[in-house]
Amino acid sequence: MISIRHALLLSSILLAAPVLHAKNQVDAIQSQIDALHDVALAQRPAILVKLASDIHALPAGKPKVTLADNLSTKATEGDPGMETLQTVADTLSQALSESPVPAKKDWPPAPYFDLARLVRYEHVNATLSDPLFAKAADALVKNEADIEKIDFTLKDLHGKKVTFSSFRGKVVLVNFWATWCQPCRAEMGDLDAIYTHLEPQGLVVLSIDPEDVPSSDVFRIANVVEPMRYHPPVLLDPGSKVASQFHVDGGIPKTFVFNREGKLVAVAIDMRTQRQFLNMIALAGIQP
């Protein structure tokens, strides 16, 4: 005969088993998301779709939202394809519809902004009916209006002052990067090739490093750039003052393209391929 004590112990184990299984699932998915940087770009779409499917099947709750949001921020690196990005966006939208995240002092939490960025800058669709999502989308539009009013003067690696407004009449690509950012450095070869090829057509590329380094440490940045034979001017933004004006308050790289009239025509929220950069520049009127 089983004692009452043993019966209670068995019952508690049986009740805990589904919870432990769910936690193990969440941990396993998060580990795979964390490992995406080690996966070749060509192999990522299939893995992203599988991870989105695994997250989609999880029970509603905060862990599901967190995983879907984390996946969305990794999916934008490079060019995984529209179908892949749509699948990731659908998963985040579903997770948020099942488990809305409370506002922070009436401000949308990060998952709503990440979904809004996917819609606005990666051109996917989202059917989420939530005032916080709508507010995040409106905030992105307002940010762009702020960005179009920006002017700045920064020094390059040689101490020469460069003023943004002096390039009016040219197509200007502003790219935020940092020496420690591997995706930033991965796209610099394509940026260099595009700049070298299209500069005669009026293309300007400004690579802005917002690292807060002392002036004596600019040689460290130069030591990274010079072996790459990188031709676009590299500008220093100590304290990230210009980055803040561009609302670059999350990860980098970030890229902004302005046409000859100074209108912001394209935004990239992550690493881009050469094809994607050329498509952005084409919106400003320059064709390869």
Side-chain angles (χ1 to χ4, degrees), residues 30 39 48 63-64 79 82 110 119 135 156 201 227 238 250 259 265:
Q30 185 59 61
V39 177
L48 289 168
K64 182 173 182 175
D79 187 7
M82 185 60 67
V119 171
K135 190 169 187 175
D156 67 12
Q201 294 188 42
N259 67 14
V265 297

Side-chain angles (χ1 to χ4, degrees), residues 55 61-70 92 95-96 98-101 111:
I55 295 169
K62 183 178 178 181
K64 182 173 182 175
V65 173
T66 300
L67 287 174
D69 188 36
N70 289 346
L92 179 54
L96 285 169
E98 293 173 343
S99 305
V101 182

Side-chain angles (χ1 to χ4, degrees), residues 37-72:
H37 273 311
D38 299 324
V39 177
L41 289 175
Q43 298 173 351
R44 287 187 196 179
I47 296 175
L48 289 168
V49 170
K50 176 61 166 60
L51 287 170
S53 176
D54 292 343
I55 295 169
H56 191 278
L58 291 174
K62 183 178 178 181
K64 182 173 182 175
V65 173
T66 300
L67 287 174
D69 188 36
N70 289 346
L71 185 67
S72 76

Side-chain angles (χ1 to χ4, degrees), residues 175-178 181-188 252-254 271:
N175 175 258
F176 288 90
W177 76 291
C181 171
Q182 191 278 329
C184 301
R185 293 169 66 170
E187 69 182 8
M188 290 176 79
I252 51 175
K254 293 284 191 301
M271 187 189 93

Side-chain angles (χ1 to χ4, degrees), residues 121 143-145 147-148 246 255-259 262-267:
Y121 303 124
N143 287 353
E144 291 172 20
I147 290 169
E148 285 191 348
F246 275 80
T255 302
F256 304 83
V257 174
F258 300 82
N259 67 14
K263 180 177 175 57
L264 180 66
V265 297
V267 177

